[in-house]
């Protein structure tokens, strides 16, 4: 149980275009989802927290107009990178916490590698 | 804000030996969790072990155990009888209890290589 998927696993897009990454909880209802960014050989940095049906809360320094997060259902959150630039190239990881889950429980997706050319 | 420091960027050890990864953290909070996560080459984050700050007893999970020193704000991970499959990045992480708004703060990671 507690499986989180991400789609796509890899994506290449041209500079100036937008790309959407999906995060799904496959066997539980995720009331809270988290989006992280990981640069090569670096740690995970939390970008934003989203609760189902409400606006995402962004961490300091993260551009909310550039990284659009939608958590429209209890099993799906999406991250859209708008007007992507090469510096947005990174590994994006989501995690999810379920309804009635203990506060420390987060289940991670396998990540999405974004390359902007 | 909380900070998590892992002072060993890379470590290597022979298969079957024991290795200890270091982690220190800085917080003024009294109620929190500490974690060790493993990220193998697949990049999938895997929870290795969890420690509640209010518990004095060190957590253990099979070959993995921690040395939690709350006063010193230290949280090291010991891997016994290391196996090739233990080769991965290991991240120490901190989570403050915050009434449903808990967030993870990760350290910079230690790249562990198990040598056959």
């Amino acid at each position: 149980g507690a499986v989180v998927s991400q789609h796509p696993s890899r994506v290449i897009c041209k500079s100036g275009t937008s790309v959407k990454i999906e995060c799904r909880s496959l066997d539980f209802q995720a009331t809270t989802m988290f989006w992280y960014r990981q640069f090569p050989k670096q740690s995970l940095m939390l970008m934003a927290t989203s609760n189902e049906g409400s606006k995402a809360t962004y961490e300091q320094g993260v551009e909310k107009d550039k990284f659009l997060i939608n958590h429209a259902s209890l099993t799906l959150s999406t991250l859209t990178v708008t007007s992507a630039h090469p510096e947005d190239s990174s590994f994006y990881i989501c995690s999810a916490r379920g309804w009635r889950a203990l506060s420390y429980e987060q289940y991670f997706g396998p990540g999405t590698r974004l390359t902007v050319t | 804000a909380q900070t998590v420091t892992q002072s060993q960027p890379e470590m290597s050890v022979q298969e079957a030996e024991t290795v200890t990864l270091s982690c220190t953290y800085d917080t003024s909070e009294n109620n929190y969790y500490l974690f060790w996560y493993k990220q193998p080459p697949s990049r999938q984050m895997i929870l290795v072990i969890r420690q509640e700050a209010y518990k004095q007893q060190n957590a253990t999970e099979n070959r993995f155990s921690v040395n939690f020193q709350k006063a010193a704000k230290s949280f090291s991970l010991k891997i016994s009888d290391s196996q090739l499959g233990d080769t991965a990045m290991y991240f120490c992480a901190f989570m403050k209890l915050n009434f449903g708004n808990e967030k993870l703060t990760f350290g910079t990671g230690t790249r562990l290589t198990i040598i056959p």
Side-chain angles (χ1 to χ4, degrees), chain A residues 84-115:
Chain A
H85 290 284
E87 56 265 31
D88 298 325
S89 298
S90 188
F91 194 67
Y92 292 88
I93 303 174
C94 74
S95 69
R97 184 167 65 218
W99 172 244
R100 294 185 181 175
L102 296 174
S103 57
Y104 54 76
E105 290 181 325
Q106 281 190 34
Y107 301 98
F108 285 83
T112 296
R113 181 178 300 282
L114 169 63
T115 302

Side-chain angles (χ1 to χ4, degrees), chain B:
Chain B
Q2 288 75 31
T3 59
V4 180
T5 302
Q6 293 179 249
S7 59
Q8 305 150 314
E10 294 187 17
M11 295 186 71
S12 61
V13 66
Q14 292 287 140
E15 189 177 7
E17 291 186 349
T18 295
V19 61
T20 299
L21 309 183
S22 301
C23 172
T24 58
Y25 58 95
D26 186 23
T27 185
S28 58
E29 302 293 331
N30 194 47
N31 296 315
Y32 51 87
Y33 294 105
L34 294 163
F35 307 82
W36 279 98
Y37 281 91
K38 169 184 177 181
Q39 188 180 41
S42 68
R43 307 293 294 271
Q44 174 73 57
M45 295 291 286
I46 300 167
L47 177 64
V48 175
I49 200 164
R50 180 188 75 249
Q51 175 80 43
E52 290 89 337
Y54 68 86
K55 290 187 177 179
Q56 293 186 337
Q57 185 173 8
N58 290 323
T60 63
E61 288 287 343
N62 301 313
R63 297 183 295 108
F64 300 88
S65 61
V66 298
N67 184 0
F68 174 47
Q69 301 290 326
K70 190 173 183 179
K73 297 179 182 175
S74 170
F75 183 61
S76 62
L77 173 70
K78 185 171 82 171
I79 305 174
S80 304
D81 185 27
S82 56
Q83 301 174 359
L84 297 179
D86 295 334
T87 292
M89 281 289 291
Y90 286 81
F91 293 99
C92 178
F94 175 98
M95 176 186 281
K96 180 182 77 169
L97 292 179
N98 194 24
F99 307 104
N101 293 315
E102 288 78 11
K103 299 184 289 188
L104 284 166
T105 301
F106 288 91
T108 50
T110 296
R111 182 174 301 278
L112 176 64
T113 302
I114 308 301
I115 303 167

